[in-house]
Amino acid sequence: MTAEPVALPYDRPALAQALGADYEERLLAAHHWMTLARELDSRMLGLQRQGRIGFYGPATGQEAVSVAAGLASRPEDWIIPGLREQLIALVRGHSLARYVHHLFANDRDPARGRQMPCHPTAREVKYVSMSSVVGTQITHAVGIAYGLKLRKDTGVALAFFGDGATSANDFHAGLNFAAVLGLPVLFCLTNNQWAISVPVERQTHVKELAMKGGAYGIPSRRVDGTDFVACYATFAEGLEAARASPGPLLAEFLLYRMTPHSSSDDPSRYQAPDWMAQALAHDPVRRMEELLTRLGILSDAARTSVREEAARLVKEAVNEAESVGTPTPESMLTDVLATAPSPVAPRSEPA
Amino acid sequence: MTELTLVQAVNRGLQQAMHDDGDVILLGEDIGLNGGVFRATDGLQKEFGAERVIDTPLSETGIVGTAIGMALYGLKPVPEIQFQDFIYPAFDQIVSELAKFRYRSGGQYPCHVVIRAPYGGGVKGGLYHSQSAEAYFAHTAGLKVVIPSTPADAKGLLLSSIHDEDPVLFFEPKRIYRAVSGEVPEGDYRVPLGEARIAREGSDLSVFAYGAMVHPALQAAESLAESGPSVEVVDLRTLAPLDEKTVLASVEKTGRAVIVHEAPRFCGYGAELGSLFAEKALFSLKAPVVRVTGFDTPFPYALEHLYLPNAPRILHAIRETMAAG
């Protein structure tokens, strides 16, 4: 299936207005990260099929939102992620090598291989550890924002979650608490229109999920989540507003899931055949490349070189990760509690 | 030393912690202006301000989830769940998030939250103001579970919990919030976590209890002071991690064990103690281990006096155990 990407409607003056005078540099940086993310997804899904990693949750189609968040946020901001935001950690400075060690759940995974792949922790860039439970992270962002406000810290808490999470308890509790307490939270709703097999029309009866923010008195808007420029402008403006006058904001990023939910999913059981054509027309990477090529910011040769560089970086990280063994058996027993002795193995187990 | 009720001791513990450490934040339903429905937080909002004693909207998952975020940021939140019976909306936050942050992040994100909740029956609270849910939490790796039975321990264990580094479920026996009073040391008084207390020494039989049940256990033991047998009462104080050393030493000394708790028997905390004795003290036992517990039913309103273990039931179990060997 092929479809021409829906063109991004910008000329140079519009880009300067949305991204600032150094817009070319910013766009090229974004293109680098988006290309790397696409390469990572493609390579990792392949490795998963070969049994070399156990699981993978691709972010294909969601790159514009993550890259924009990574580039527009400051070091003092906190990222409270959902399943498809790992790219934000990388853009904010988490090393690709460490992330790939995590994907391989090896002994150099900072979390010692305890979580499934795509659940990294990167404290050094204020990227919070996530569980696999949908929506529970939303109230964590509220508590972090409470600390930011109490300590007069200029950071903002960015909470990421998908369309399915808007049906979960903590979405409602989190939005309500943040609004009542007046906290600097940017609720980033990545609506890729699917919660595994359930389309967004079966998730909600409202026309736009952003309307739900209004019910809690939170200024909310829908944004084209496959348009990097619109995403960047939304983050820049939202972060500035939240810093200036603490109070939550909600942005619904409209996305198109371009892959299965995860390596364990088969969308042919539930997606109409024309879905992928729509998704491809909104491919954020192709839309970005079309814009950059049209405006003469990225030559064909440069594009090829960016892709080759991304492939090289991923390949190096994979080679390094594959050379590291599984975590030591003892590592299973640590980090349960700080002050109690580690639990011992069951007595019936051989020593 | 000051003579205080148990709930006053909780209040003084919170006050001390808030005074000594500006990172300590309280949040919950009705805890600010109203001082909590049991008055455990009475006066604290006035003393420390509404930024540190927060009246929240009514959502337990919101309270605990927000507290988790505060802890991730570096504050020391002490959320209150108004009744332990209402903790279940926050169960997901407690077992999926709070208990696992340290482990799943490889130690990058410790998550120190102390959740206070009044628990237990005896106040005519019916099904939803009387439960004893400690076993759910003691079963979850990554949590500490603490239950005081005296005013001094209420303050001392609470302060140790707040100055600990791990998540703590601090369950307060509401039945004895005011029914029990005692001398409580002033200042930053701490009782270490993970240490059981020999509430009464004895040589023939050990009764293991915690929270409100320590008191009928002591009554039963005292009633036999002259006639015998000589009954030891062990107040567990910390259910997780359990002080195996003290507990095993007691049962090895007496050779007989009666376990008391309000919660239903099946898979209750007593089952863990019984298994521990079977695994590590079997050859010290002179008689089968007996449990005196709530019934395997929901908690009843009109018949709570029959449901709850009391001194006569404990006495009966002691006599039965002594008769068995």
Side-chain angles (χ1 to χ4, degrees):
Chain A
M1 247 176 297
T2 56
E4 280 309 301
V6 178
L8 292 174
Y10 302 104
D11 55 17
R12 285 178 173 270
L15 291 173
Q17 197 182 353
L19 303 176
D22 56 350
Y23 64 87
E24 284 203 14
E25 197 181 319
R26 192 153 287 157
L27 288 167
L28 288 172
H31 177 251
H32 156 77
W33 285 112
M34 292 166 84
T35 306
L36 181 78
R38 191 58 62 89
E39 171 68 17
L40 195 60
D41 277 2
S42 145
R43 183 102 170 102
M44 291 302 155
L45 278 171
L47 291 178
Q48 194 280 335
R49 286 193 201 99
Q50 294 167 22
R52 288 157 73 185
I53 63 171
F55 170 87
Y56 195 71
T60 302
Q62 306 196 183
E63 296 93 340
V65 178
S66 288
V67 172
L71 292 177
S73 59
R74 292 191 200 158
E76 66 264 34
D77 296 327
W78 287 64
I79 307 298
I80 302 93
L83 174 62
R84 304 184 205 279
E85 275 76 42
Q86 298 84 5
L87 183 53
I88 304 178
L90 298 178
V91 176
R92 283 170 64 86
H94 186 59
S95 91
L96 179 64
R98 288 184 97 190
Y99 179 50
V100 175
H101 285 309
H102 160 71
L103 294 175
F104 277 83
N106 68 25
D107 199 39
R108 286 174 64 191
D109 170 5
R112 315 298 303 276
R114 290 174 183 139
Q115 289 242 66
M116 287 170 79
C118 298
H119 295 60
T121 302
R123 173 128 204 164
E124 76 282 9
V125 294
K126 295 190 170 65
Y127 185 92
V128 176
S129 160
M130 60 170 279
S131 70
S132 309
V133 181
V134 171
T136 41
Q137 76 276 23
I138 298 172
T139 48
H140 304 166
V142 174
I144 289 168
Y146 195 90
L148 291 166
K149 186 181 178 188
L150 186 73
R151 293 285 172 255
K152 299 185 170 49
D153 188 325
T154 54
V156 174
L158 288 86
F160 288 83
F161 51 90
D163 39 306
T166 64
S167 297
N169 291 340
D170 281 86
F171 170 78
H172 303 284
L175 264 62
N176 191 41
F177 274 50
V180 169
L181 298 170
L183 303 177
V185 186
L186 199 52
F187 292 107
C188 308
L189 199 180
T190 53
N191 174 12
N192 72 11
Q193 308 188 53
W194 295 93
I196 303 188
S197 71
V198 178
V200 68
E201 300 79 26
R202 300 287 298 170
Q203 199 66 249
T204 182
H205 192 56
V206 297
K207 285 205 174 79
E208 294 188 5
L209 288 168
M211 293 168 72
K212 296 194 175 201
Y216 295 100
I218 296 176
S220 304
R221 69 163 75 145
R222 176 182 266 197
V223 180
D224 179 346
T226 64
D227 172 349
F228 169 78
V229 180
C231 292
Y232 186 90
T234 300
F235 282 111
E237 192 185 318
L239 287 166
E240 193 181 309
R243 274 187 243 285
S245 167
L249 299 164
L250 183 145
E252 175 193 1
F253 296 97
L254 185 65
L255 295 161
Y256 296 80
R257 203 182 78 200
M258 294 174 63
T259 58
H261 164 74
S262 74
S263 52
S264 311
D265 180 37
D266 173 14
S268 71
R269 296 173 65 89
Y270 55 80
Q271 258 174 7
D274 63 347
W275 167 261
M276 196 46 77
Q278 276 187 70
L280 286 172
H282 291 87
D283 177 343
V285 180
R286 292 180 70 213
R287 293 184 84 190
M288 181 73 149
E289 291 188 337
E290 189 278 331
L291 174 73
L292 296 180
T293 306
R294 174 158 44 88
L295 296 182
I297 297 172
L298 184 73
S299 66
D300 286 351
R303 184 169 69 182
T304 304
S305 136
V306 169
R307 286 181 185 169
E308 285 172 358
E309 172 71 359
R312 186 183 64 78
L313 288 171
V314 172
K315 192 177 175 187
E316 272 177 18
V318 167
N319 288 345
E320 187 185 329
E322 285 200 309
S323 72
V324 178
T326 53
T328 60
E330 294 75 21
S331 73
M332 182 171 70
L333 304 176
T334 57
D335 295 327
V336 179
L337 293 170
T339 54
S342 296
V344 294
R347 284 153 58 94
S348 54
E349 297 292 325
Chain B
M1 289 285 206
T2 318
E3 174 94 1
L4 297 176
T5 63
L6 196 145
V7 72
Q8 284 171 333
V10 169
N11 181 277
R12 297 299 158 82
L14 292 171
Q15 184 190 34
Q16 185 73 39
M18 295 195 78
H19 175 269
D20 292 347
D21 189 340
D23 286 337
V24 176
I25 306 286
L26 311 188
L27 65 159
E29 296 157 10
D30 307 300
I31 68 162
L33 267 180
N34 192 40
V37 298
F38 291 102
R39 306 289 176 257
T41 52
D42 196 24
L44 298 179
Q45 192 183 64
K46 197 173 172 193
E47 185 174 351
F48 298 103
E51 283 191 331
R52 292 185 61 201
V53 182
I54 309 162
D55 278 317
T56 67
L58 198 159
S59 167
E60 286 77 14
T61 188
I63 292 167
V64 175
T66 298
I68 288 171
M70 289 174 169
L72 297 174
Y73 181 77
L75 300 175
K76 295 181 182 171
V78 185
E80 175 181 293
I81 299 298
Q82 196 162 82
F83 285 83
Q84 193 198 52
D85 312 63
F86 305 144
I87 207 166
Y88 305 113
F91 195 72
D92 194 12
Q93 284 290 350
I94 297 169
V95 304
S96 304
E97 305 291 335
L98 181 60
K100 295 176 175 53
F101 253 104
R102 178 184 291 277
Y103 193 72
R104 77 183 192 217
S105 68
Q108 293 181 68
Y109 283 105
C111 196
H112 173 43
V113 177
V114 178
I115 301 175
R116 293 181 41 250
Y119 87 97
V123 297
K124 281 288 184 187
L127 281 81
Y128 302 109
H129 302 80
S130 308
Q131 295 171 35
S132 296
E134 63 276 5
Y136 296 123
F137 302 102
H139 180 66
T140 300
L143 300 176
K144 292 182 175 174
V145 180
V146 176
I147 303 184
S149 71
T150 68
D153 277 356
K155 180 178 175 183
L157 291 168
L158 181 58
L159 280 167
S160 289
S161 299
I162 293 173
H163 294 293
D164 202 74
E165 294 175 65
D166 290 316
V168 179
L169 279 290
F170 192 87
F171 296 139
E172 299 163 6
K174 68 173 99 69
R175 180 192 198 178
I176 55 170
Y177 258 160
R178 291 183 174 76
V180 167
S181 48
E183 294 290 316
V184 178
E186 307 282 348
D188 185 14
Y189 170 65
R190 301 194 198 177
V191 173
L193 304 187
E195 291 185 14
R197 175 178 73 101
I198 306 297
R200 183 185 193 277
E201 286 203 32
S203 54
D204 297 325
L205 181 146
S206 303
V207 178
F208 297 93
Y210 48 89
M213 288 295 105
V214 170
H215 299 279
L218 284 169
Q219 277 172 32
E222 287 300 329
S223 73
L224 298 167
E226 286 186 14
S227 63
S230 163
V231 175
E232 180 148 298
V233 176
V234 181
D235 176 1
L236 297 179
R237 303 201 292 193
T238 300
L239 275 60
L242 172 64
D243 180 0
E244 283 194 16
K245 196 176 157 197
T246 301
V247 163
L248 286 170
S250 179
V251 81
E252 280 161 5
K253 177 176 75 171
T254 63
R256 299 178 186 87
V258 169
I259 302 161
V260 187
H261 58 64
E262 298 180 38
R265 173 174 312 205
F266 188 79
C267 287
Y269 192 79
E272 182 62 33
L273 290 178
S275 300
L276 179 72
F277 300 154
E279 283 176 350
K280 297 192 180 173
L282 183 67
F283 300 115
S284 301
L285 289 177
K286 298 168 187 160
V289 173
V290 172
R291 287 178 283 168
V292 183
T293 68
F295 290 84
D296 289 332
T297 67
F299 194 102
Y301 174 68
L303 297 178
E304 76 168 350
H305 59 290
L306 297 179
Y307 178 92
L308 282 170
N310 54 20
R313 276 175 64 189
I314 297 167
L315 201 54
H316 179 74
I318 291 171
R319 293 204 167 108
E320 195 180 41
T321 305
M322 292 306 297

